[in-house]
Amino acid sequence: MLFMMIKGVAMVKAMGVALLCVSVLWSVPHKCAGKSVLSRNSSSSPPLLQRPSSVNVGALFTYDSFIGRAAKPAFKAAMDDVNADQTVLNGTKLNIVFQDSNCSGFIGTMGALQLMETQVVSAIGPQSSGIAHMISYVANELHVPLLSFAATDPTLSSLQYPYFLRTTQNDYFQMHAITDFISYSGWRQVIAIYVDDEYGRNGVSVLSDALAKKRSKISYKAAITPGADSTSIESLLVSVNLMASRVYVVHVNPDSGLNVFSVAKSLGMMGNGYIWIATDWLPTAIDSMEPVDSETMDLLQGVVAFRHYTTESTMKRQFRERWRNGFNSYALYAYDSVWLIARALDVFFKENSTITFSNDSSLHQTSDSSIQLSALSVFNEGEKLLKIILGMNHTGVSGQIQFDSERNRLNPAYEVLNIEGTGPRRVGYWSNHSGLSVVTPETLYSKPPNTSAANQRLHGIIWPGEVTKPPRGWVFPNNGKPLKIAVPNRVSYKDYVSKDKNPPGVRGFCIDVFEAAIELLPYPVPRNYILYGDGKKNPSYNNLINEVVADNFDVAVGDITITTNRTRFVDFTQPFIESGLVVVAPVKVAKSSPWSFLKPFTVEMWAVTGAFFLLVGAIVWILEHRFNHEFRGPPKRQLITIFWFSFSTMFFSHRENTVSSLGRLVLIIWLFVVLIINSSYTASLTSILTVQQLTSRIEGIDSLIQSKEPIGVQDGTFARNYLVNELNISPDRIVPLRDEEHYLSALQLGSKAGGVAAIVDELPYIEVLLTNSNCKYRTVGQEFTRTGWGFAFQRDSPLAVDMSTAILQLSEEGELEKIHRKWLNYKHECSMQISDSENSQLSLKSFWGLFLICGITCFVALTVFFWRVFWQYQRLLPDSGDDEERACEMSEPSRSGRGLRAPSFKELIKVVDTKEAEIKEMLKQKSSKKLKSSQSGAGSSHSQRSDIP
């Protein structure tokens, strides 16, 4: 309910307006805040049902400016076109009343009041954001819609100015476009050079917020006084040039902005390594100066600028052809502003609305003043006209004209220009729909929004100095301040980092890695190493990180572990050595056990192996029972045969021969499985009996947590905080240890004699400890954290990225390994971890594939066997039609005594138990009987036919 809000907006008293005009105050007096709408006395004339003969529209801008020289002809052309078009306003003449603000806030405010005296229904302008802030209060008081074609200050869209509306783009979107470009180029810090007024300050404020969302920032804000001369600009740029960042965002006015580049050129700041990004003021100046002289273009080589994007159309081309020179994008917005008011008035009149004005009683209270504020009238229907304007949707020379809920134009877009040669070259576009792209924004509106980093793309850019590779964007400042490097003053493990009497004052593995990486950088890095700590005990590394965060140091170099919590405050380089927490405990030689022969396999492995021995023996017996006499006999003998055959295959010493094809298939597969199992068992048992086995009552971090015994940690490292905060170990159990001697003595004493049960520390330290202890101790369990050591830089430091690249190069070239061997070449190599007997056992997991193959083979063989038996059983059944033969078989068994009397399970088992040769003989006899029976039946029927007369 925007317009209910408008009625409740604070109104300015007449005296407030007078003070605003005289004192050029740029804000509403505090006593006016929250004041309700003033009562007004209606004017004399009653509403008219017919349209007025003419309506007045005000135009306030600076005539003598790049924007003003383009806007005035556009206003006149629009007024002529509207009055010539009989479909708009239907005979009502549109009259534009011009006022020159002359780049002055005071004159602009007075001009606005003079416009209001002419009873304008709307005002177009001003072009200055500062003046727009002031006269917006006048528009609010008099209910006159204020349409600005050039004021881009983002704060003008606030609810404080309900009658302000802009037909150009909001700088909020331009600053986000610049932010996307900076992020696309990979820069983290920029310097903002801006004019110190509402336009400049508020635009840079939005830029700062947008950069913060991309983890970038404005490292310095260089404000230029409005109308500053070259000397002031030179002084400012000299100080800026001493800073690290080389990315400059210039947000100034088009009429004086070129002075910045002129001074920068004279200071040598337009060469290689510099990046200049200009907002839309620069394209406005260049477009207005066509043709641009070569001297001006020489100042701007390599500059990237953003220009308002307006859709190409026939209407735009025809409008452009009416210009000779001085044309810029603001001419389009000025032209469209007039047409927008005209179309809105046409809708206003079609709704049978009339234009009436009334006097404000509070303004009459100032009649004693020489300032005749009583001449100002309130536009009674201003709120309705504003509502119509906000609801308009049509196409103008600048594209689609439609407003969103925040009174900004829909689909904001910009062209990304690269100044080179004799003029600007378009390298891409930006829109809030898809970010940076090389295709026009209107072609992307039909697709889903996609502003992901992978979708951003621009054509190649030629940077200052005629280079095509994007500059790094920063250098070490030229103010003589070297890099302040904090180095932990350790008292233990000094091979990693320690104090040194010789320059640079520190030495060790970490220092050599840092120096080697510095040498790979393409620029010099002046630096000073500063020891951190008293040298009596290891310093707290968390405190060291806090010193870097507090800007007391630029970087911390040493054995600094990269942890999640620390990465929230500093930027780490690529790890130059792997690390992680491990547990070190005393070990002893494991005693030999009389049951060692059972250790190669787990319980599950033994159980499954034994079951398969019995299963395969039983299956081979089933498959061989009908064919092989060695698998026949009394039940007791057959049971013994099954067990003997099963386990004798373990040694390949089975004496029974297999006869059937299926039995041989199963046996071949099983013997292969046995071969693999035997070989694995032999190898594992050999290892157990010949390799020295070490054991420890502490098996790893889990058993250490449950033991409730003291735990030793290195003083100053993150291990203590990790054990307490992450693993919930009581702080009373933690024993800080100073150096290697304390480590060894604490382990030797043990927990019962005032020492510790185990030590938790990082892997690089433990490697040194185990070597110096002549391998008396070992790590137990697995490494339970995985991290690394890196160099800690201040947040968003560009040097961290370059150093990470250098460390990767050292690793790829093998230099890291050389430095490691130089400092950490151990005389006694120890096996880091004791062997875990349980982990060394062979489990079912390693052999389930073999058992699966064997099981499938057995299943297939049994399936084929029983199918054959069932088939034979079906053939042995008596025929249903031969009753005489069935009766004979039931009363008189066959000669062999194995005839089938009736189909039953017992008979099926009998078939299974019968030898294969006997089954074949029975099938042969049955076939012969059937043949004879069929022959005798045929002879009998032939005799009967012969006896018939």
Side-chain angles (χ1 to χ4, degrees):
M1 299 293 291
L2 173 63
F3 298 95
M4 294 300 295
M5 176 276 297
I6 293 175
K7 291 185 178 181
V9 168
M11 301 297 294
V12 183
K13 286 186 176 182
M15 186 59 69
V17 176
L19 291 175
L20 175 69
C21 301
V22 177
S23 305
V24 200
L25 296 177
W26 291 6
S27 62
V28 178
H30 178 70
K31 63 181 180 180
C32 294
K35 186 173 179 69
S36 61
V37 179
L38 301 175
S39 60
R40 298 176 177 86
N41 298 323
S42 179
S43 190
S44 56
S45 58
L48 299 176
L49 297 179
Q50 61 182 8
R51 297 192 178 194
S53 60
S54 65
V55 290
N56 291 338
V57 173
L60 179 67
F61 57 96
T62 300
Y63 293 173
D64 189 17
S65 64
F66 282 132
I67 296 177
R69 287 191 289 270
K72 192 169 185 178
F75 283 138
K76 293 181 177 180
M79 181 176 63
D80 294 340
D81 292 345
V82 169
N83 291 330
D85 192 343
Q86 296 300 318
T87 61
V88 182
L89 295 180
N90 196 19
T92 298
K93 181 180 179 182
L94 181 69
N95 182 38
I96 298 180
V97 181
F98 293 95
Q99 281 289 341
D100 186 3
S101 61
N102 200 25
C103 287
S104 169
F106 178 77
I107 296 177
T109 304
M110 297 301 296
L113 295 175
Q114 292 175 6
L115 283 178
M116 300 305 174
E117 289 180 352
T118 62
Q119 294 189 338
V120 294
V121 295
S122 179
I124 303 176
Q127 70 189 57
S128 167
S129 296
I131 300 175
H133 276 277
M134 291 186 290
I135 67 175
S136 290
Y137 294 115
V138 179
N140 291 349
E141 179 71 18
L142 302 180
H143 288 193
V144 176
L146 181 62
L147 278 67
S148 178
F149 65 97
T152 57
D153 177 8
T155 61
L156 287 170
S157 294
S158 65
L159 299 177
Q160 186 180 9
Y161 309 116
Y163 281 88
F164 178 86
L165 185 67
R166 77 179 103 229
T167 56
T168 184
Q169 300 292 356
N170 190 336
D171 269 348
Y172 173 88
F173 302 107
Q174 180 170 210
M175 295 308 166
H176 277 76
I178 293 175
T179 298
D180 286 349
F181 177 74
I182 291 171
S183 177
Y184 170 80
S185 302
W187 302 313
R188 304 291 291 277
Q189 297 184 16
V190 303
I191 292 177
I193 302 173
Y194 64 97
V195 60
D196 194 11
D197 59 10
E198 286 86 350
Y199 160 75
R201 287 192 303 270
N202 295 331
V204 169
S205 177
V206 173
L207 176 63
S208 179
D209 294 340
L211 287 172
K213 295 178 182 178
K214 299 281 188 178
R215 284 199 62 187
S216 301
K217 66 178 182 179
I218 297 178
S219 59
Y220 183 73
K221 295 180 180 180
I224 299 176
T225 304
D229 56 15
S230 297
T231 304
S232 301
I233 296 175
E234 181 177 0
S235 177
L236 181 69
L237 292 184
V238 168
S239 62
V240 163
N241 198 34
L242 295 176
M243 299 176 184
S245 179
R246 285 291 183 265
V247 184
Y248 306 124
V249 178
V250 185
H251 187 52
V252 294
N253 294 317
D255 296 280
S256 58
L258 291 176
N259 292 339
V260 175
F261 290 103
S262 178
V263 174
K265 181 74 172 181
S266 65
L267 295 176
M269 297 176 64
M270 298 299 297
N272 189 9
Y274 290 88
I275 300 103
W276 291 88
I277 303 171
T279 54
D280 66 285
W281 69 266
L282 182 57
T284 298
I286 294 176
D287 293 342
S288 302
M289 295 168 59
E290 289 186 354
V292 185
D293 59 276
S294 59
E295 183 178 350
T296 301
M297 294 308 303
D298 186 55
L299 297 175
L300 305 174
Q301 293 299 301
V303 175
V304 174
F306 286 76
R307 178 169 61 191
H308 295 138
Y309 174 74
T310 53
T311 308
E312 293 296 329
S313 64
T314 303
M315 185 186 305
K316 177 182 174 180
R317 285 192 296 269
Q318 292 175 350
F319 179 72
R320 180 68 179 86
E321 291 172 355
R322 299 163 66 177
W323 290 77
R324 295 183 179 179
N325 51 41
F327 177 85
N328 56 52
S329 60
Y330 290 101
L332 302 174
Y333 296 129
Y335 184 85
D336 281 344
S337 299
V338 177
W339 271 98
L340 176 61
I341 294 175
R343 294 182 185 276
L345 285 172
D346 189 52
V347 175
F348 178 82
F349 291 137
K350 286 180 179 179
E351 293 179 356
N352 203 28
S353 300
T354 59
I355 298 176
T356 61
F357 293 88
S358 61
N359 297 324
D360 193 328
S361 59
S362 60
L363 296 180
H364 285 278
Q365 297 174 5
T366 63
S367 58
D368 295 337
S369 173
S370 59
I371 302 177
Q372 299 298 322
L373 296 179
S374 58
L376 301 178
S377 300
V378 176
F379 180 27
N380 296 327
E381 290 77 20
E383 182 179 332
K384 182 176 182 180
L385 179 60
L386 176 63
K387 183 178 180 180
I388 294 174
I389 293 174
L390 289 173
M392 296 298 294
N393 181 9
H394 69 280
T395 301
V397 293
S398 62
Q400 182 186 11
I401 301 176
Q402 189 178 3
F403 300 97
D404 60 17
S405 59
E406 297 181 355
R407 291 173 290 143
N408 294 314
R409 286 188 62 168
L410 292 180
N411 300 328
Y414 291 86
E415 295 178 86
V416 185
L417 307 177
N418 182 208
I419 313 299
E420 59 166 310
T422 59
R425 175 178 62 92
R426 186 192 302 119
V427 295
Y429 305 88
W430 179 92
S431 69
N432 65 337
H433 183 83
S434 299
L436 298 171
S437 66
V438 294
V439 297
T440 56
E442 58 266 21
T443 61
L444 300 174
Y445 292 147
S446 59
K447 302 178 181 178
N450 186 357
T451 57
S452 63
N455 195 51
Q456 307 301 292
R457 186 186 171 195
L458 291 174
H459 293 302
I461 295 175
I462 299 178
W463 304 96
E466 298 183 356
V467 295
T468 56
K469 182 180 179 181
R472 188 171 59 251
W474 70 278
V475 295
F476 271 91
N478 297 325
N479 52 13
K481 293 182 180 180
L483 203 67
K484 293 182 295 183
I485 305 174
V487 178
N489 191 6
R490 295 190 58 87
V491 296
S492 62
Y493 302 110
K494 293 187 176 182
D495 285 340
Y496 289 109
V497 61
S498 64
K499 181 180 179 180
D500 190 21
K501 296 180 180 179
N502 301 320
V506 289
R507 62 192 294 271
F509 169 74
C510 299
I511 302 301
D512 280 7
V513 172
F514 185 80
E515 286 290 329
I518 287 288
E519 293 299 323
L520 293 179
L521 300 181
Y523 46 86
V525 181
R527 54 198 178 276
N528 285 337
Y529 291 97
I530 304 172
L531 289 171
Y532 180 78
D534 56 9
K536 298 179 181 179
K537 65 176 183 179
N538 293 331
S540 170
Y541 282 65
N542 285 337
N543 292 340
L544 176 59
I545 295 297
N546 291 335
E547 292 291 328
V548 176
V549 175
D551 201 22
N552 295 327
F553 299 104
D554 297 312
V555 57
V557 172
D559 49 340
I560 304 172
T561 306
I562 303 172
T563 65
T564 303
N565 186 57
R566 292 172 180 173
T567 56
R568 296 189 179 102
F569 307 103
V570 295
D571 284 346
F572 280 97
T573 61
Q574 177 79 14
F576 57 87
I577 188 173
E578 292 183 356
S579 181
L581 291 178
V582 293
V583 179
V584 178
V587 295
K588 59 182 180 180
V589 179
K591 295 181 180 179
S592 179
S593 171
W595 304 100
S596 297
F597 67 91
L598 295 176
K599 290 184 178 180
F601 289 163
T602 61
V603 176
E604 294 81 3
M605 183 64 183
W606 280 118
V608 172
T609 303
F612 260 83
F613 271 110
L614 296 176
L615 177 65
V616 171
I619 291 175
V620 171
W621 176 83
I622 293 173
L623 299 176
E624 292 291 320
H625 180 70
R626 300 180 67 198
F627 297 90
N628 196 337
H629 70 278
E630 294 182 352
F631 289 87
R632 301 183 66 84
K636 182 179 180 180
R637 177 185 174 187
Q638 296 185 47
L639 188 63
I640 293 174
T641 300
I642 291 174
F643 277 93
W644 165 254
F645 181 84
S646 298
F647 291 101
S648 63
T649 56
M650 182 186 303
F651 311 102
F652 305 97
S653 60
H654 51 284
R655 62 171 181 244
E656 293 82 5
N657 294 321
T658 51
V659 177
S660 68
S661 301
L662 294 176
R664 289 176 177 177
L665 174 64
V666 171
L667 185 60
I668 288 174
I669 299 298
W670 174 242
L671 290 179
F672 175 73
V673 174
V674 170
L675 175 65
I676 299 299
I677 293 176
N678 277 344
S679 302
S680 302
Y681 176 85
T682 303
S684 180
L685 183 61
T686 302
S687 174
I688 292 174
L689 297 178
T690 57
V691 178
Q692 187 182 46
Q693 301 295 311
L694 301 177
T695 63
S696 173
R697 60 188 183 86
I698 303 296
E699 299 177 352
I701 187 62
D702 294 330
S703 63
L704 185 61
I705 294 173
Q706 298 171 1
S707 68
K708 306 299 181 183
E709 294 182 289
I711 303 172
V713 298
Q714 184 181 170
D715 192 17
T717 63
F718 84 105
R720 182 186 186 280
N721 291 337
Y722 183 86
L723 295 177
V724 173
N725 299 331
E726 301 296 333
L727 302 182
N728 298 320
I729 295 177
S730 173
D732 298 335
R733 296 179 57 192
I734 308 300
V735 180
L737 302 174
R738 182 173 179 269
D739 53 25
E740 297 98 319
E741 294 181 1
H742 285 76
Y743 272 46
L744 298 177
S745 62
L747 286 172
Q748 188 173 2
L749 290 173
S751 58
K752 297 181 179 180
V756 297
I759 289 175
V760 175
D761 207 347
E762 295 183 72
L763 188 59
Y765 302 129
I766 298 305
E767 290 177 348
V768 178
L769 176 69
L770 296 184
T771 302
N772 295 338
S773 67
N774 293 324
C775 305
K776 293 182 180 179
Y777 308 98
R778 293 289 192 277
T779 61
V780 292
Q782 299 296 323
E783 186 177 354
F784 57 93
T785 66
R786 289 191 177 274
T787 178
W789 292 354
F791 305 128
F793 287 82
Q794 290 184 3
R795 193 73 168 172
D796 299 325
S797 172
L799 187 58
V801 179
D802 290 353
M803 286 294 290
S804 293
T805 304
I807 290 172
L808 288 175
Q809 185 177 345
L810 289 175
S811 178
E812 292 172 356
E813 295 176 354
E815 293 298 323
L816 272 183
E817 182 62 28
K818 292 179 182 178
I819 298 173
H820 189 276
R821 288 198 300 266
K822 172 186 173 182
W823 288 98
L824 308 172
N825 189 16
Y826 309 120
K827 298 179 181 178
H828 305 285
E829 291 289 344
C830 299
S831 174
M832 288 292 297
Q833 191 172 2
I834 65 173
S835 59
D836 190 345
S837 59
E838 292 184 359
N839 291 336
S840 62
Q841 286 183 312
L842 298 174
S843 64
L844 183 62
K845 184 179 180 180
S846 303
F847 297 95
W848 71 269
L850 288 173
F851 289 122
L852 179 64
I853 294 174
C854 183
I856 293 174
T857 304
C858 293
F859 176 77
V860 172
L862 285 176
T863 301
V864 173
F865 172 79
F866 283 111
W867 176 83
R868 178 179 174 82
V869 169
F870 187 76
W871 175 76
Q872 292 176 343
Y873 172 71
Q874 290 290 336
R875 292 191 59 189
L876 289 174
L877 289 176
D879 296 334
S880 58
D882 195 351
D883 295 335
E884 183 181 351
E885 183 179 351
R886 179 183 299 175
C888 180
E889 289 179 355
M890 292 180 63
S891 59
E892 187 176 332
S894 62
R895 217 179 310 173
S896 62
R898 300 181 182 274
L900 296 179
R901 294 172 175 80
S904 65
F905 180 74
K906 183 177 179 180
E907 297 298 335
L908 177 62
I909 296 300
K910 184 181 292 187
V911 172
V912 174
D913 188 55
T914 305
K915 287 185 177 181
E916 181 72 14
E918 294 181 4
I919 293 295
K920 289 182 178 180
E921 180 65 25
M922 292 170 63
L923 291 174
K924 185 177 179 181
Q925 291 178 3
K926 184 176 181 181
S927 298
S928 300
K929 289 180 179 180
K930 289 179 67 176
L931 180 60
K932 291 179 180 180
S933 176
S934 61
Q935 290 177 352
S936 61
S940 173
S941 77
H942 178 71
S943 301
Q944 291 176 4
R945 284 195 298 268
S946 355
D947 293 338
I948 297 174

